[in-house]
Amino acid sequence: MTSAPTAPVPSSAPIATPAAPLDVKRISAISLDLDDTLWPIWPTIERAEAVLHEWLLREAPKTASLLLTPGILRELREATAKERSDLAHDLSALRRESIRTALKRAGEDPALADPAFDAFFAERQRVTLYDDALPALKWLSERYPLVAVSNGNADIHKTGVGRWFRTAFNARAFGSGKPHAPIFRAAAASVGLLPKDVLHVGDDAELDVVGALNAGMQAAWLVRDERPWVHGARPQLIVPNLHALCVALGA
């Protein structure tokens, strides 16, 4: 196997810290989380919420004013999630319904929820990739079929990373999400493999790592900050960035 990309690895972090044996020869495909794995999610959400607020100022000013009340947005989200537990796996629907609830509470047209959400959603797709993401995606996709597996509502094509993936699964379209095994098994099946032949890579210890391990996959935990491992079953690999993942796979 040829050498990994030459992007620098921060000297303060190890290239890779194995927590359990990684069977590289067994890996025939890789599934990847998106949010906080390929790009930081909260700056993206903050920009999208700013765009939403600007839209509401123009089209539904009473709702825009209501949403400036401290704690009101969290309250609306929690109320919507409680009332619409059937949408727990669908972040887009929950966001849309939260906007609709805010419009109703402010006495404005609830039908505006759809175009308001569209404004939010378009900005939500404008992500800023981590510096290591594109070199790693190129290197990995030249060696393995890649499948995106996410509980979020990012679109791999609208975010600009679709060229590197064979296909993508998200909780909304699939009907359930991580850490439940079916979405991981479907990801493996989409490239003609069993879960044992796939390495899943993600930042969330429970959703990504524990979920993948329970589905029969190997798992790599991407930890860009300092966090202790607090779960029982451990990942086969712990890496500080995607370059380190490539180094571990190419060693």
Side-chain angles (χ1 to χ4, degrees):
M1 186 175 287
T2 56
S3 61
T6 58
V9 179
S11 59
S12 60
I15 287 180
T17 306
L22 176 69
D23 188 349
V24 175
K25 293 181 180 180
R26 203 176 87 193
I27 301 169
S28 296
I30 293 176
S31 58
L32 280 161
D33 174 52
L34 298 176
D35 294 329
D36 284 333
T37 294
L38 299 185
W39 54 74
I41 185 56
W42 286 113
T44 305
I45 296 299
E46 288 173 359
R47 288 196 311 271
E49 288 185 341
V51 166
L52 171 62
H53 186 69
E54 291 171 4
W55 190 95
L56 291 171
L57 282 173
R58 295 191 304 271
E59 305 295 336
K62 292 180 182 178
T63 303
S65 179
L66 171 66
L67 292 180
L68 290 176
T69 305
I72 191 67
L73 194 55
R74 179 184 297 274
E75 177 191 332
L76 290 170
R77 286 175 182 165
E78 290 176 351
T80 301
K82 185 175 181 180
E83 294 171 7
R84 296 299 308 273
S85 58
D86 58 308
L87 300 178
H89 62 281
D90 190 341
L91 297 183
S92 292
L94 284 173
R95 172 76 64 168
R96 186 183 293 106
E97 291 308 307
S98 295
I99 297 170
R100 198 181 314 278
T101 300
L103 287 161
K104 291 178 180 177
R105 186 173 296 190
E108 293 181 310
D109 185 3
L112 292 173
D114 292 328
F117 173 78
D118 290 344
F120 168 88
F121 190 69
E123 186 66 21
R124 188 262 185 270
Q125 307 305 316
R126 292 183 63 249
V127 300
T128 301
L129 297 171
Y130 289 116
D131 290 343
D132 58 329
L134 283 183
L137 286 172
K138 183 177 186 298
W139 191 88
L140 291 169
S141 65
E142 289 171 351
R143 292 154 178 83
Y144 305 97
L146 303 183
V147 182
V149 180
S150 175
N151 281 5
N153 53 9
D155 182 301
I156 59 170
H157 300 292
K158 292 178 180 178
T159 55
V161 298
R163 76 186 75 173
W164 313 114
F165 289 93
R166 296 285 183 90
T167 188
F169 290 82
N170 63 55
R172 173 183 173 274
F174 188 71
S176 68
K178 302 175 296 186
H180 305 298
I183 196 168
F184 292 105
R185 292 171 181 159
S190 72
V191 288
L193 297 171
L194 295 173
K196 67 181 182 64
D197 302 316
V198 179
L199 172 69
H200 180 72
V201 181
D203 71 290
D204 192 290
E206 182 177 0
L207 299 181
D208 288 304
V209 177
V210 175
L213 292 173
N214 287 341
M217 291 181 171
Q218 294 192 88
W221 189 30
L222 178 64
V223 191
R224 295 182 183 275
D225 51 15
E226 292 295 327
R227 280 177 288 157
W229 181 260
V230 297
H231 299 272
R234 294 178 63 82
Q236 281 78 20
L237 185 67
I238 299 176
V239 291
N241 51 55
L242 291 168
H243 174 74
L245 172 70
C246 297
V247 170
L249 293 176

